[in-house]
Amino acid sequence: MPIHTTADGTEIYYKDWGRGRPVVLSHGWPLNADSWEGQQLFLAEHGYRVIAHDRRTHGRSTQSWDGNEMDTYADDLAGLIEHLDLTELTLIGFSTGGGEVARYLGRHGSARVAQLVLVAAVPPFMLRTEDNPGGVPIAVFDGIRANSLADRSQTYRDLADGPFFGNNRPGQHPSQGMRDAFWRQGLQAGARNAYESIAAFSATDFRPDLDAIDVPTLVIHGDDDQVVPFEVGGKASAARIRGAALTVYPGAPHGITDTHRDELNKDLLAFLRTA
């Protein structure tokens, strides 16, 4: 298997498909690189080299005990990019992966990066605090933590069968296979990591990272996202990043990499071709 080994010995699994200018895909919680298959195959078939990795302790990567926070995730990504010697790349982050790529740019800069895309992403800052009054109450994330400890498998079932793909909304009909894939990928993640990652995606303040972004950026978000609300995520990120373009999918849920695959693929390809 293609593996990059980090400084602390963690093995990061990645898929490297296609040939051309590089695109790196960073997945959401508690998923892995498989969640990007629709985009990875499409973009590779349209002339790009597309890399999707399993974040540490997700999927086929090492279930390390430590490093379950955004700084380490971003450093792991930097190591992979350097290992593959990627330049002029486009970073695309979905949900928690949006935080990972934003933190990468905040910590490592944009010398290797030509473009950024945030898809239903967690930046700028999800948690409600005194200086972020529009955020999500901590009780919501405490509930996810409690449910994960009580019955992790059922927690992932409930997310997939409910808000993640909008299955709890009239007119939304995500397939059973789509929902099962979420559950399967979730259970491949390490239990401790998946638990600690809830804090990583909800309580990490990415506002300084967004302020440092100096590459062309596209923000894509559904306006019926029940996981990362549009006002908290995409709308706020697009307003904060200098020169960012915002594309809104009316009525779309969080999991638009699957539910809006064709539309997303078309928009990603159009943006890639502007570089």
Side-chain angles (χ1 to χ4, degrees):
M1 293 195 304
I3 293 289
H4 164 63
T5 303
T6 69
D8 70 354
T10 299
E11 293 186 335
I12 303 296
Y13 168 83
Y14 63 94
K15 303 179 182 183
D16 189 346
W17 296 357
R19 297 179 181 86
R21 191 167 66 81
V23 178
V24 174
L25 305 170
S26 182
H27 64 78
W29 175 92
L31 305 173
N32 58 52
D34 292 350
S35 64
W36 281 116
E37 283 184 352
Q39 288 70 45
Q40 189 171 16
L41 182 60
F42 175 83
L43 295 177
E45 288 177 336
H46 283 79
Y48 293 89
R49 178 186 179 188
V50 191
I51 297 102
H53 64 293
D54 291 353
R55 192 170 299 120
R56 65 167 55 213
T57 77
H58 293 70
R60 291 136 294 202
S61 293
T62 303
Q63 292 197 6
S64 58
W65 187 250
D66 298 312
N68 304 317
E69 32 72 28
M70 283 293 168
D71 286 354
T72 302
Y73 295 159
D75 292 349
D76 289 347
L77 177 60
L80 176 61
I81 289 169
E82 291 164 12
H83 170 69
L84 297 174
D85 194 23
L86 304 178
T87 58
E88 292 299 308
L89 67 94
T90 298
L91 286 173
I92 304 177
F94 167 71
S95 194
T96 298
E100 180 179 298
V101 297
R103 181 53 51 93
Y104 168 87
L105 287 166
R107 284 174 70 82
H108 298 278
S110 60
R112 291 178 176 268
V113 180
Q115 297 173 303
L116 171 68
V117 186
L118 299 178
V119 180
V122 298
F125 187 20
M126 284 197 71
L127 186 64
R128 179 180 295 174
T129 61
E130 287 188 6
D131 71 341
N132 191 43
V136 179
I138 193 170
V140 172
F141 304 113
D142 286 344
I144 299 173
R145 276 185 277 266
N147 291 337
S148 295
L149 289 176
D151 191 340
R152 189 162 74 106
S153 180
Q154 189 60 48
T155 297
Y156 299 157
R157 282 285 186 203
D158 292 343
L159 283 168
D161 291 342
F164 194 90
F165 298 114
N167 196 46
N168 56 346
R169 297 295 204 219
Q172 298 281 2
H173 303 289
S175 72
Q176 187 66 55
M178 186 185 298
R179 287 140 53 201
D180 287 349
F182 179 99
W183 172 80
R184 174 187 61 80
Q185 290 175 49
L187 289 181
Q188 284 184 282
R192 184 174 193 260
N193 169 266
Y195 179 84
E196 291 191 342
S197 288
I198 298 166
F201 73 69
S202 66
T204 301
D205 185 351
F206 298 102
R207 291 175 292 188
D209 304 297
L210 298 193
D211 292 343
I213 291 171
D214 59 358
V215 296
T217 301
L218 172 64
V219 178
I220 301 175
H221 217 105
D223 66 6
D224 192 32
D225 190 326
Q226 301 170 72
V227 178
V228 182
F230 172 65
E231 299 282 340
V232 174
K235 183 177 180 179
S237 286
R240 192 167 192 108
I241 299 169
R242 291 186 299 275
L246 174 63
T247 297
V248 181
Y249 291 179
H254 186 61
I256 55 177
T257 53
D258 286 306
T259 63
H260 289 63
R261 177 180 296 185
D262 292 344
E263 186 175 359
L264 178 61
N265 288 351
K266 180 185 70 174
D267 288 339
L268 292 176
L269 183 60
F271 183 66
L272 284 164
R273 286 175 171 168
T274 66

